[in-house]
């Protein structure tokens, strides 16, 4: 079957969406084509049934090289999904994917972008169903799974498509090159330029944000002509399996080989990511997860361009504020959202031991920590609201870290078990806040390590200057996805900005309203910087897409 | 001293040049601001004296951390340059370079670009002097040293500045982000975006093209805010020392710290490139040279973005032609220019053993090889023209390889010693053409290895299909900076194009006039593809600049 985009009439209409996305990444103003409100989605009525129908089934993708079935996802809310996925025979799957690439390359950047947008549109139409899948794999509360796993993830995918498109069309398809030679005839060449893919791109999914962290790499690679094999986290397969199924459906309908996008679900303990990462066909890798495996990929998958988001230690410098209540409620929300299981959640709150100046007068260290603890307690005091904000702990490791954290120092706010009305087996916990002393060497091991989960450290510092120094050291040595700061001092603000510029960390200053340090908006905010140890790439910039393809020139005498 | 670009009035005038460069990289049409003809340069009269005055002197750059002097360049033309350069105490030099960076970062992308263009303008004004320096370090003949070491190198530097500039200004300096919230007040943030450098960038120069291969990385890194330390090849220091001196002069005059650009000349056998490459301050590396050291850099300098141009095996597929004479003269020139000491010179000429169809009738394999040998012999028959084309062998290794090549197969054209009228100690040699058999396993070791220098292999193939297959294997396994092909068959052309698109190699088709497969023009042609083992980057595209800086965002509640 030859490629035929007119077979799917909606594809051509996406040109306008693409143009708007291109404009948005240029202005960085607010924009999104995907509504955030559940009521905007027609699948709201049927999604629960659709999700329930998936449970206990074989998720057949009709992929080549399936040598059995694997599964075993158990929801952090306690239910057994019971879905089985095809297990790949990599020696059959990867050659089939490579064979799919020439026609996709020939389609060119614009057609590839439009097909990607059709995939995103169909994912968008199933947002509510996807929300159930994300909720029951990541443990996110439903509304967060809906928004972060749905429209916000789709935004990030679209953003990547826009970057990929514009990067490929910077070089024209054709040029006439005529070089004057004085009195002699000019030299004249016709030059044809083609964006060519690297090869097969591997996306290694994560447990907490399978779609949000998976879509940028998936769509950046696909839009630049690569085939994409998706290796989901074994606890979060379903959202990416749904994604792959939709992508394959759109590719087939538009006349392309559906094997351009395949799923590679692994058997327990198989280590399929390592196997795939070292295959010569794999030339691009996107990964979100532990620093140890991210470093391993960077060191060993030398044949591939490797984009990693790893662990970091996020800091908030608390120096002073003219909106004490706003600061407390903003921080309380940031610490609570998804039980602190975001790579962007603050961990270390650096507070002068002599306290801070506020619009409500001077507040001592213990007072600030106490007021913050009260703010968190108030925010999560009602179980219904707590469940809606916290979600469930994604795995037993997080629970173990949370429980161990209480012994690291004086507990300012103890973690509390929350019962979920619908899912009695869900492990729902409020955050713990532990006091540490920035001047005590014994405490350093705690605040200089990532403690992923609902654990925050209130670190007493000798001065805000010391806070700034520790911020620099933390970013340089451990990396950071986010930095926050509260200050009314121009001098402290300047120092913190300088640290962030020199150590390459993204900074949120004096957030006291409805925007939180741990949230970034596609088309406007960069997620990570790619310039400190927490990640070697950012979502999304030119560097995230530029090396996923190469431009090949054929020149002929004119 | 604060930065003040108005101190150098010509700087602002470069905005027009930058705009033209931006337009050129977008259209890929012919353009250059730097004339190619020696008569266009005012320094033509004084350059010889200026070059002679440098000989036997200390080249003082007034750099911090100089712990002695080193030198020892001997021209491939046999004269001792006797120039001494500062040897760096790296522990002093690198911190001084880091300290220079914040003000350079603050200057912003446009001011950095304009200062870079002023540096290039001053290099351009000393093109003839630079030609002497390039000639007497690389062994290039004067006219080639003039053009390739002068305006063509400056073109590549300017091209890198243009790419760096446009990449940095894709994100605006500031954005107002306003997100509607239904009936509630919108969320509103002010966002400031700053392009920040990676750190110190290391340029590791090569012996054959110190400026042409050095300028892209140097200017790409400098224009993106990094400080640049230039570690020249010990046999080709002078051209880059002149370059560094000019850069430091312009930086100082415009109020920046001259330590943004420093030279790091090494003592014999010191291995300074390895030391610098592993320093934590060094975050970007540009390298041109052997595959072994390029691979070492990629594997070991993990803290840095590493851009390498290494060795490859360049192929010309000879299938058929409608301009036999044009093909022969074009190939003869390509094999002769700079004694084949270009990374882009063809090595393997794949010719069917049954011969080829031409506009002059069928030509057998031996006839084609004989006619090509005669064309090379004719081109280089006159010693004056031979010297003007060949230049001198750059080092004894090339001479040894040339001498050994004669034993690899039947010699179709023997190499000939050419006497240089002005430099009796110059080692000038014409190329050797050796016949090999593509079907003989014994010959494979020869044609599947790079034999850098004036050595070409005429490889007898069973068919053009076999040539296409060998082309694919060669590019995939050994890499290629260039691929050439001669064919009148649409089918063969299509197959060769497909190989080049799939294996990422730059293709020149049916060149029979005054453009040669081994030459690329800045702003239009890509040098290398970055997609095969010969190089991990191309000169120049978005990927060459995009990861040399990061964008840091500071967001505040509006």
């Amino acid at each position: 079957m030859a490629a035929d985009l007119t077979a799917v009439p909606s594809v051509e209409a996406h040109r306008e969406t693409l143009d708007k996305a291109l404009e948005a990444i240029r202005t960085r103003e607010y924009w999104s084509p995907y509504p955030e409100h559940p009521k905007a989605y027609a699948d709201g009525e049927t999604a629960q049934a659709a999700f329930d129908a998936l449970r206990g089934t074989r998720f057949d993708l009709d992929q080549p090289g399936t040598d059995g079935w694997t599964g075993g996802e158990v929801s952090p809310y306690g239910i057994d999904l019971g879905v089985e996925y095809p297990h790949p025979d990599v020696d059959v799957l990867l050659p089939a994917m490579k064979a799919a690439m020439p026609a996709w390359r020939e389609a060119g950047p614009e057609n590839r972008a439009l097909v990607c947008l059709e995939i995103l549109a169909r994912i968008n139409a199933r947002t509510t169903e996807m929300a159930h899948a994300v909720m029951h794999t990541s443990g996110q509360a439903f509304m967060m799974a809906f928004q972060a796993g749905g429209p916000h993830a789709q935004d990030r995918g679209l953003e990547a498509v826009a970057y990929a498109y514009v990067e490929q069309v910077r070089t024209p398809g054709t040029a006439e090159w005529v070089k004057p030679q004085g009195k002699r005839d000019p030299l004249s060449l016709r030059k044809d330029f083609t964006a060519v893919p690297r090869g097969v791109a591997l996306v290694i999914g994560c447990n907490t944000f399978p779609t949000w962290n998976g879509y940028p790499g998936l769509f950046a690679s696909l839009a630049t002509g690569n085939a994409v094999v998706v290796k989901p986290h074994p606890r979060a397969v379903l959202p990416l399996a749904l994604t792959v199924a939709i992508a394959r459906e759109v590719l087939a309908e538009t006349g392309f080989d559906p094997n351009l996008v395949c799923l590679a679900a692994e058997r327990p303990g198989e280590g399929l990511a390592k196997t795939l990462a070292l295959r010569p066909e794999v030339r691009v890798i996107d990964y979100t997860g532990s620093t140890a495996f991210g470093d391993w990929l960077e060191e060993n998958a030398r044949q591939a361009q490797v984009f990693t988001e790893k662990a970091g230690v996020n800091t908030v410098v608390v120096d002073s504020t003219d909106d004490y209540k706003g600061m407390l409620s903003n921080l309380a929300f940031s610490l609570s959202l998804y039980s602190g299981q975001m790579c962007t959640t603050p961990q270390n709150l650096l507070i002068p031991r002599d306290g801070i100046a506020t619009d409500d007068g001077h507040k001592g260290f213990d007072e600030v920590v106490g007021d913050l603890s009260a703010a968190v307690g108030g925010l999560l005091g009602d179980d219904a609201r707590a469940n809606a904000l916290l979600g469930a702990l994604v795995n037993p490791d997080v629970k173990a870290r949370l429980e161990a954290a209480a012994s690291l120092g004086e507990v300012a706010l103890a973690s509390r078990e929350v019962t979920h009305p619908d899912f009695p087996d869900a492990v729902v916990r409020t955050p713990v806040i532990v006091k540490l002393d920035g001047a005590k060497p014994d405490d350093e091991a705690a605040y200089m390590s990532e403690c992923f989960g609902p654990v925050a450290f209130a670190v007493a510092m000798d001065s805000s200057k010391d806070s700034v120094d520790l911020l620099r050291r933390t970013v340089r040595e451990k990396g950071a996805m986010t930095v926050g700061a509260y200050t009314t001092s121009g001098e402290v603000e300047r120092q913190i900005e300088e640290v962030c510029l020199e150590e390459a960390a993204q900074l949120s200053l004096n957030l006291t309203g409805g925007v939180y340090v741990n949230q970034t908006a596609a088309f406007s905010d960069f997620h990570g910087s790619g310039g400190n140890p927490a990640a070697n790439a950012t979502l999304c910039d030119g560097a995230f897409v530029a090396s996923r393809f190469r431009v090949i020139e054929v020149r002929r005498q004119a």
Side-chain angles (χ1 to χ4, degrees), chain A:
Chain A
M1 183 159 75
D4 176 16
L5 271 61
T6 62
V8 181
S10 51
V11 168
E12 192 48 42
H14 298 315
R15 178 69 231 194
E16 191 185 336
T17 307
L18 179 62
D19 286 340
K20 285 183 181 165
L22 293 171
E23 176 70 4
I25 61 174
R26 202 183 61 71
T27 66
R28 320 278 323 163
E29 291 174 1
Y30 172 76
W31 180 74
S32 169
Y34 308 121
E36 281 181 325
H37 299 294
K39 284 181 185 163
Y41 290 87
D43 76 333
E45 297 293 310
T46 55
Q48 180 73 57
F51 171 72
D52 290 341
L54 288 168
R55 292 177 56 189
T57 62
R58 278 200 168 163
F59 200 110
D60 196 351
L61 288 158
D62 196 21
Q63 290 181 177
T66 294
D67 71 355
W69 298 81
T70 185
E73 291 157 290
V74 177
S75 165
Y77 290 92
I79 64 172
D80 193 338
L81 300 197
V83 188
E84 284 194 316
Y85 306 94
H87 180 271
D89 176 343
V90 171
D91 291 328
V92 176
L93 188 68
L94 292 180
M97 296 181 73
K98 279 212 78 168
M101 286 166 55
W104 186 236
R105 179 194 79 216
E106 286 298 310
E110 180 164 0
N111 287 334
R112 284 195 294 269
L114 296 178
V115 171
C116 285
L117 265 63
E118 175 67 15
I119 296 171
L120 284 163
R122 295 206 195 173
I123 291 171
N124 177 255
R126 291 169 70 179
T127 290
T128 320
E129 181 184 352
M130 188 68 81
H132 288 283
V134 170
M135 174 180 173
H136 284 291
T137 49
S138 69
Q140 290 175 24
F142 180 78
M143 184 53 80
M144 181 172 181
F146 185 93
Q147 293 190 333
H152 296 173
Q154 296 150 22
D155 280 341
R156 284 286 179 197
L158 174 55
E159 179 187 55
V161 173
Y163 268 100
Y165 170 78
V166 78
E167 193 69 32
Q168 292 172 90
V169 299
R170 289 172 73 173
T171 303
T174 289
E176 301 291 334
W177 182 86
V178 181
K179 180 176 179 179
Q181 296 289 290
K183 290 173 187 165
R184 287 173 292 154
D185 285 345
L187 298 175
S188 184
L189 293 174
R190 178 196 154 97
K191 303 179 178 185
D192 295 304
F193 300 96
T194 305
V196 305
R198 285 279 189 182
V200 175
L202 169 64
V203 173
I204 303 174
C206 69
N207 197 171
T208 48
F209 290 91
T211 57
W212 199 97
N213 277 97
Y215 286 1
L218 193 170
F219 283 99
S221 286
L222 190 61
T224 46
N226 303 281
V228 182
V229 58
V230 179
K231 204 299 290 175
H233 191 284
R235 293 171 177 274
V237 183
L238 187 56
L240 290 174
L242 284 166
T243 302
V244 168
I246 292 168
R248 292 175 63 83
E249 169 190 295
V250 171
L251 287 163
E253 285 181 31
T254 48
F256 294 101
D257 187 333
N259 294 329
L260 286 165
V261 180
C262 290
L263 188 76
E266 66 187 323
R267 298 205 173 101
E270 180 185 7
L272 184 55
K274 279 197 178 185
T275 304
L276 288 167
L278 298 180
R279 288 286 298 212
E281 298 94 335
V282 170
R283 302 296 305 279
V284 180
I285 299 174
D286 286 273
Y287 167 76
T288 309
S290 73
T291 296
F293 192 58
D295 288 346
W296 183 90
L297 287 170
E298 292 176 21
E299 278 162 30
N300 292 280
R302 310 303 316 284
Q303 85 292 356
Q305 305 284 311
V306 179
F307 301 88
T308 57
E309 183 184 320
K310 301 174 285 191
V313 174
N314 302 320
T315 298
V316 176
V317 174
V318 180
D319 168 74
S320 51
T321 179
D322 58 11
D323 182 0
Y324 187 57
K325 277 198 174 143
M327 178 183 87
L328 295 173
S329 65
N330 188 282
L331 280 176
F333 188 93
S334 283
L335 298 180
S336 303
L337 185 63
Y338 187 27
S339 306
Q341 299 172 114
M342 301 174 75
C343 55
T344 51
T345 304
Q347 175 180 302
N348 295 342
L349 314 174
L350 308 187
I351 306 165
R353 67 177 81 250
D354 293 339
I356 64 171
T358 81
D359 56 315
D360 194 29
H362 182 270
K363 303 287 178 184
F365 174 84
D366 286 338
E367 214 174 346
V368 174
V369 180
D371 290 343
L372 178 62
S373 299
V376 174
L379 181 68
L380 303 175
D382 172 68
D383 275 5
R385 190 154 72 164
N387 275 305
L389 259 183
L390 294 167
L393 297 193
V394 64
N395 63 45
D397 291 347
V398 174
K399 181 161 173 275
R401 267 194 301 272
L402 168 63
E403 286 163 357
S407 65
L408 294 171
E410 181 191 340
V411 172
L413 176 69
S415 176
R416 173 172 87 79
E417 285 192 38
V418 180
T419 303
H420 198 291
D422 304 325
F423 301 105
D425 294 336
V427 181
V428 182
R429 295 289 186 279
T430 67
V432 65
I433 300 180
V434 177
K435 290 187 194 176
L436 298 174
D437 190 324
K440 280 196 184 155
D442 284 357
D443 287 3
E444 183 173 323
Y447 65 71
M448 286 297 278
S449 304
E450 189 195 46
C451 188
F452 186 81
V455 178
F457 298 125
V459 186
M461 304 298 298
D462 286 344
S463 67
S464 284
K465 187 191 166 300
D466 283 358
S467 298
V468 172
D469 291 345
L470 179 55
L471 169 65
R472 184 189 291 275
R473 190 155 69 88
T474 306
V475 176
R476 188 180 290 181
E477 294 176 13
K478 299 295 168 184
M481 294 300 291
T482 59
V483 173
Y486 292 89
T487 182
T488 58
S489 154
E491 177 58 18
V492 172
E493 180 175 323
R494 200 195 56 72
Q495 289 169 3
I496 292 168
E497 279 195 74
E498 188 62 25
V499 166
C500 290
L501 292 171
E502 290 187 10
E503 305 301 330
Q506 307 296 6
L507 173 61
S508 295
L509 263 171
N510 296 321
L511 297 186
T512 54
V515 177
Y516 305 96
V517 64
N518 33 348
Q519 294 179 317
T520 64
F523 311 109
S524 184
D525 294 321
F526 293 103
H527 174 75
S529 80
N532 70 56
N536 76 0
T538 185
L539 304 178
C540 187
D541 67 356
F544 188 69
V545 298
S547 58
R548 291 176 195 260
F549 69 98
R550 305 277 66 193
V551 177
I552 297 305
E553 174 183 354
V554 179
R555 57 183 188 173
R556 300 170 166 84
Q557 243 156 245

